Amino acid sequence: PISLEHDRMSLRMSFCRVSRLTYAPTQAKRLELKAEDKEELLLQQQQAAQQQQQQQQPSQQADLYHEAFQHDKRTAAAANRPQEVSSKAMEVEVKIRLPDRAAYDKVAAVLAPGKTASHAQENYFFDGSSRELESTRSVLRLRFYNGDHKAVITVKGKQILQDGIGRASEVEEDAPDAAAARAWLAQPDLLLQSSPLLKQLNEKIGMSHLVCMGGFKNQREVYSWEGQTLELDETRYEWGTLYEIECETTEPEAVRDKLEKLLAAHGVSYSYSKTSKFANFINKTLL
């Protein structure tokens, strides 16, 4: 490892070279950084490198999932069977947090004329026995709709939330038999063996076994509003309940602003969601 003194010397030399080129001083006065300034510069360089790595991560995940999707698409075509996998390079959604059930009920009443569907969702999460998915900032979810009416396998990248807008790469695959998919909860390795999407993804990640991490329930009411599809969620964890409005859209800023005006007009308190449902599940929080 490089010593702190070596770092300080390297920074001093670099700064002096930049000073000579940039300022071209006419006097023979040396420019020197204070010790605390040099340490701050080193910290800023490290933070910049970390930010660049985080910015690259979503696109790398999207490429990985897209490649897995394309492989399964080719496999489906070769087998002459219906395509069951949907690929989104990036899921973008507005996420607004409601403070309590009273606010939830008020929003539900306002949106009631446009209600189109209701889904009782069960969400279960999996990872490799050595946390292979966590190490790649990925999430594997199995979601059941209205009992065994439907089951969907989803692989998502880490969601980036800012100002009420979340972005994450995502690939989905319908389970061929929702009732049979229940067996995957007790025997997770069957999911690894049964899903074409996971088989392809696993060639890159290398999971020998899957582990079911548990999950939570979510009641989702779906509404048509202003040309958009709004989802009103009541998410129930063992440690509490959260209420949220979600809207997947290609115009997140405009939709968010319209939603804020709607909520303000009806006296509904709200805030921007601070984290994903999965993060609350893992950390046992209600943020």
Side-chain angles (χ1 to χ4, degrees):
I2 301 175
S3 66
L4 179 60
E5 185 60 30
H6 184 276
D7 287 342
R8 291 177 174 174
M9 184 177 297
S10 298
L11 286 170
R12 182 182 300 113
M13 294 173 65
S14 299
F15 183 82
C16 289
R17 285 196 296 270
V18 171
S19 298
R20 287 195 296 271
L21 291 173
T22 305
Y23 298 103
T26 56
Q27 297 180 356
K29 182 178 180 180
R30 296 181 60 188
L31 297 176
E32 295 184 355
L33 287 173
K34 295 181 181 179
E36 58 268 24
D37 292 334
K38 288 182 285 186
E39 292 177 359
E40 177 65 20
L41 179 58
L42 179 60
L43 179 60
Q44 291 177 356
Q45 291 174 335
Q46 293 172 341
Q47 291 175 338
Q50 291 174 351
Q51 291 176 354
Q52 183 178 7
Q53 183 179 7
Q54 291 174 352
Q55 290 171 354
Q56 292 173 346
Q57 188 69 36
S59 62
Q60 292 170 349
Q61 289 171 331
D63 291 343
L64 177 65
Y65 303 153
H66 182 70
E67 183 176 344
F69 162 69
Q70 291 297 336
H71 176 274
D72 194 70
K73 185 176 180 180
R74 292 191 297 269
T75 302
N80 194 27
R81 62 174 172 82
Q83 177 61 33
E84 299 174 344
V85 179
S86 63
S87 175
K88 304 173 188 175
M90 190 67 63
E91 178 192 50
V92 182
E93 57 185 354
V94 177
K95 295 173 70 71
I96 302 293
R97 183 63 45 81
L98 301 174
D100 49 35
R101 179 72 197 201
Y104 172 96
D105 289 340
K106 187 177 291 188
V107 172
V110 171
L111 297 176
K115 187 171 182 177
T116 59
S118 182
H119 302 300
Q121 299 175 340
E122 300 171 54
N123 301 277
Y124 299 96
F125 300 90
F126 302 80
D127 201 346
S129 54
S130 298
R131 298 184 177 180
E132 290 89 347
L133 288 171
E134 180 184 346
S135 68
T136 60
R137 293 175 172 264
S138 302
V139 175
L140 171 57
R141 182 188 69 206
L142 174 62
R143 172 178 285 172
F144 293 90
Y145 289 79
N146 299 324
D148 294 335
H149 179 73
K150 179 182 178 182
V152 178
I153 303 162
T154 303
V155 180
K156 301 185 69 168
K158 178 179 173 61
Q159 187 176 66
I160 305 301
L161 262 173
Q162 184 175 7
D163 298 332
I165 298 172
R167 292 176 170 85
S169 52
E170 179 179 282
V171 179
E172 292 185 334
E173 178 183 65
D174 288 343
D177 187 331
R182 292 277 176 185
W184 299 342
L185 302 179
Q187 298 175 283
D189 285 348
L190 294 178
L191 171 57
L192 195 60
Q193 299 163 11
S194 303
S195 166
L197 171 64
L198 292 185
K199 286 180 182 178
Q200 172 64 12
L201 189 62
N202 198 33
E203 291 181 7
K204 296 183 175 296
I205 297 178
M207 296 179 289
S208 56
H209 297 286
L210 276 182
V211 176
C212 182
M213 304 160 63
F216 56 84
K217 294 182 178 180
N218 183 63
Q219 182 64 38
R220 172 164 289 176
E221 308 300 331
V222 184
Y223 304 87
S224 177
W225 175 79
E226 296 285 331
Q228 303 289 334
T229 297
L230 297 187
E231 298 167 337
L232 189 56
D233 288 348
E234 179 185 10
T235 308
R236 298 185 294 275
Y237 302 99
E238 292 181 0
W239 49 92
T241 302
L242 286 177
Y243 304 94
E244 190 173 43
I245 303 173
E246 291 188 356
C247 180
E248 187 174 341
T249 178
T250 58
E251 303 174 322
E253 289 81 7
V255 172
R256 179 197 58 196
D257 294 346
K258 286 183 179 180
L259 269 174
E260 290 189 76
K261 290 179 181 178
L262 174 72
L263 297 174
H266 290 86
V268 178
S269 299
Y270 67 92
S271 62
Y272 295 151
S273 297
K274 297 181 176 62
T275 189
S276 67
K277 291 179 173 69
F278 174 73
N280 275 318
F281 166 68
I282 287 297
N283 298 318
K284 297 190 185 311
T285 54
L286 294 172
L287 300 178

